[in-house]
Amino acid sequence: MPAVRSARVPLDTARVILPRGQVHVIPHRCKECRFCVDFCPKDVLALSTETNAKGYRYPVVAPGKDEACVHCEFCTLVCPEYAIFTVEVPRVEVMA
Amino acid sequence: MTMSTLIAERHPSDPLFRADRLPHIWCPGCGIGPAMHAYAQAMVESGIPLARHVCVSGIGCTGRVPGYLNMDSYHTTHGRAIPFAMAIALVKPELEVTVYSGDGDLFAIGGNHFIHAARRNVDINVICINNFNYGMTGGQVGPTTPMGARATTAPFGNYEQPFNLPHLAAATGAVFVARWTSLHLRQLKQAMLRAMKKRGFTFIEVLAPCPVGFGRPNDIGDAMEEMTLYREGCVVDPAAPLDSLDIDLRVKDRPIVLGNFVDVERPVFDPLAMMRPTSEAENNTAVAGKTQEGQ
């Protein structure tokens, strides 16, 4: 999907701090539907190289995307198995 | 500092579910899971205590939803979820009763109950997961299977005209009618919140991928492909004429119209109103614990 670029930059861009999320996964619930991987607006997730006990590859944070999650919670909402969620990282830790 | 991936044992929404029953029986990529999550979150955000919510279902894949919700929930006989819920709503008007069932259960086996509950404007919410086929029994043609779609019982294509569910609900008297998909989850949750707040018969259709029952015979590769169809093929138009809401997944350029189509007021079904003294009958709209919109 092509990245959407805005022609105008919002006035408060410098002041706004993007939230940061930490991805948590419950591997044994995953059935590899790939909704979280494909619908993540920041392309944070990728499928794991190993599988869970049922043979499904579960989502993991893709290489180099450790700090890319913005805690939009869409993966939490769209996961049919309740197997992934994000937790907002406290602001002090984001600034550090 | 963020770590790569943390492995968890429990989900923050687990208290809303009977988590010991998870993972559930639905197929990989089934759209019922996200819709159930939206319903669980809407219940929490509705401000109505969880103890006053009731979920009733009939038979089918969607009929299993009450079994996974950690609340007062009932799994009734095939097609009879609406009369069961109607009785609860009439005897205990302080409860927020929601029927959560599939298109086959609500519109084929229970079709008559639906139109008459809507006509009477019983104070219940009906959420219908529409996956275009009878999923649990192996993908047979149902009342919502689009024309031409292949199914177990229609290997050469379905020749029946399907129901246009929002049009049917609005025509029979529902006071709130919406259609969303299991991809439009924030909008779906808002529609559920509106339905919970509203008195009278409300109807929400949720289009959900059924990769095994509907997708496989219709050359939709997997659930991700059907979700992509929703993402690319859906248009939000609450003002769309109701008779234009037919769904035909075969036609590439025809959009699927989503939105909150109807939001009107009608007198709510109250069979005891005639027996009360007149002054009381006039006040029968003020039921404890419910808010009347627009006042």
Side-chain angles (χ1 to χ4, degrees), chain B residues 225-286:
Chain B
E225 198 176 319
E226 197 167 338
M227 287 287 253
T228 309
L229 279 177
Y230 294 152
R231 176 155 79 173
E232 291 167 357
C234 286
V235 173
V236 179
D237 182 10
L242 287 163
D243 57 2
S244 72
L245 301 180
D246 287 303
I247 297 171
D248 197 338
L249 293 181
R250 296 168 304 158
V251 186
K252 278 281 173 217
D253 297 331
R254 182 165 180 177
I256 300 171
V257 184
L258 309 176
N260 300 333
F261 303 112
V262 175
D263 196 337
V264 294
E265 299 294 336
R266 280 176 68 219
V268 176
F269 184 52
D270 184 6
L272 300 180
M274 291 301 192
M275 292 159 65
R276 290 195 203 102
T278 326
S279 59
E280 207 181 309
E282 282 167 1
N283 295 330
N284 69 1
T285 47

Side-chain angles (χ1 to χ4, degrees), chain A residues 44-59:
Chain A
V44 171
L45 299 165
L47 289 177
S48 63
T49 45
E50 58 198 38
T51 66
N52 64 18
K54 292 191 182 110
Y56 294 118
R57 292 171 297 166
Y58 50 89

